[in-house]
Amino acid sequence: MTQRALVVGATGIQGQAVGRRLADEGWEVFGLARRPGDQPGVTPVAADLLDPESMAGALKDVAPTHVFLTTWLRMQSEAENIRVNAAMLRNLFAALRPARSVRHIALVTGLKHYLGPFEAYGKGDLPKTPFREDQGRLDVDNFYYAQEDELFAAADQDGFTWSIHRPHTVIGEAIGNAMNMGQTLAVYATICRETGRPFRFPGSQAQWDSLTDMTDARQLAAQVLWAATSPEARNEDFNIVNGDVFRWSWLWFRLAQWFGIEAEAFDGIERPLEEQMAGDAAIWAEIAERHDLAERDLARLASPWHSDADLGRPIEVVTDMSKSRRMGFTGYVATDDAFFDLFERLRAARIIPAY
């Protein structure tokens, strides 16, 4: 039977990795975004998830067997996050319903399931680490929960199976993505090298000292493909991280070494990237001009606010992967290698200079 995938959010960090993995595995892949790009093996579908008429027209002839949801829209409040992101999923499910073709839908959310939404991030009565899927929901409004509820309701109505995937901070490449620590740190390190500024850890003492983990976008793609094709993974939620743990007090120096710069030991003073990079737009434009880089707009490459949120947390964040491993998913990526591989890809794409 033909396996036809629809990747929703195909131009983002997660969506690009999922689309690439599916295409490499021989799937017929459609990539939906408001402004879909040119991705090898992916047929672009232009549509706005907030426009039901646009969705119905764009998906009329697609009839996917599997759907991979890797997108969301950030609003000014959690109440608005819930309203808008729930509506996006309802519109999508309504547009898919007439074809009756969908057998499985994978929804990618994240660790805010355990840490709380942006308005209450890392605060209050949080579950103990390592985070496990059976710890359930926090007693707080969260758009991730609203997305899950829309998925469950549609699955009951339309008869498809589902899986939910909760990555930690994702390492991958995408231009114009709002949550992109790996690319942000690559740009920051490049600016430090070009200007002679110190490469200073921007986060908290807790994050510098504590164990933590991250998620390579390719590891996420491997898990969603596994869950979409494994009967034992149907109607289950899964954490997804690389499988190793590290401390930033170790990794920060590894990252600096890759760029050929010196890293400063953390002195306990938080220096958020939003402050450190506040005046760097013109500096980056000059660097990009001098090295003939592909993107001169710093705002399309770096998301300091998101990196600050993760690196500034006052608590340990470690994620348990036992559930999917018991069911047969054995993927593993070393996080330092994930960063180094990303940096090589960014150099090859002329996003950062090749020294």
Side-chain angles (χ1 to χ4, degrees), residues 4-6 21 29 37 64 76-77 98 102 105 114 128 145 148 166 205-206 212 218 233 268 290 301 348 352:
R4 176 179 287 189
L6 175 68
R21 178 62 183 259
V29 185
Q76 292 299 310
S77 68
V102 176
I105 294 184
Y114 309 106
K128 301 298 184 184
Y145 307 159
E148 290 180 351
R166 299 180 186 130
Q205 190 75 55
T212 192
R218 297 166 298 180
R290 179 153 36 86
L301 296 178
I352 60 175

Side-chain angles (χ1 to χ4, degrees), residues 219 223 226 238 241-244 321-333:
Q219 172 85 331
Q223 193 195 58
W226 164 80
F238 299 108
V241 288
N242 288 336
D244 66 348
M321 281 276 287
S322 299
K323 183 177 180 179
S324 61
R325 296 211 184 286
R326 284 195 299 267
M327 292 183 179
F329 178 73
T330 59
Y332 170 84
V333 179

Side-chain angles (χ1 to χ4, degrees), residues 27-185:
W27 287 53
E28 185 179 7
V29 185
F30 293 80
L32 187 150
R34 282 178 293 178
R35 294 178 293 276
D38 183 17
Q39 301 176 57
V42 178
T43 300
V45 178
D48 184 345
L49 290 168
L50 289 173
D51 182 346
E53 185 174 342
S54 163
M55 291 295 301
L59 296 177
K60 178 170 59 71
D61 298 319
V62 175
T65 58
H66 296 71
V67 180
F68 301 87
L69 296 166
T70 67
T71 190
W72 67 287
L73 188 61
R74 188 185 184 196
M75 307 303 291
Q76 292 299 310
S77 68
E78 193 60 21
E80 279 295 288
N81 281 337
I82 291 169
R83 182 185 68 80
V84 169
N85 287 280
M88 289 164 60
L89 265 59
R90 280 197 303 275
N91 293 340
L92 174 66
F93 298 147
L96 292 168
R97 189 163 290 127
R100 297 290 176 180
S101 61
V102 176
R103 303 201 300 265
H104 182 87
I105 294 184
L107 170 65
V108 180
T109 60
L111 293 195
K112 286 190 288 297
H113 182 92
Y114 309 106
L115 288 163
F118 287 114
E119 293 177 5
Y121 190 60
K123 300 175 183 176
D125 186 16
L126 302 177
K128 301 298 184 184
T129 57
F131 296 138
R132 296 179 174 86
E133 295 89 345
D134 62 6
Q135 290 170 320
R137 296 180 175 184
L138 302 175
D139 186 19
V140 61
D141 291 337
N142 190 323
F143 82 90
Y144 282 171
Y145 307 159
Q147 288 182 310
E148 290 180 351
D149 290 342
E150 294 293 339
L151 177 67
F152 300 152
D156 287 343
Q157 180 175 350
D158 299 328
F160 58 77
T161 62
W162 53 266
S163 58
I164 294 168
H165 305 265
R166 299 180 186 130
H168 196 172
T169 306
V170 177
I171 302 169
E173 73 267 36
I175 304 300
N177 193 272
M179 301 169 68
N180 195 335
M181 183 190 289
Q183 200 165 275
T184 298
L185 293 181

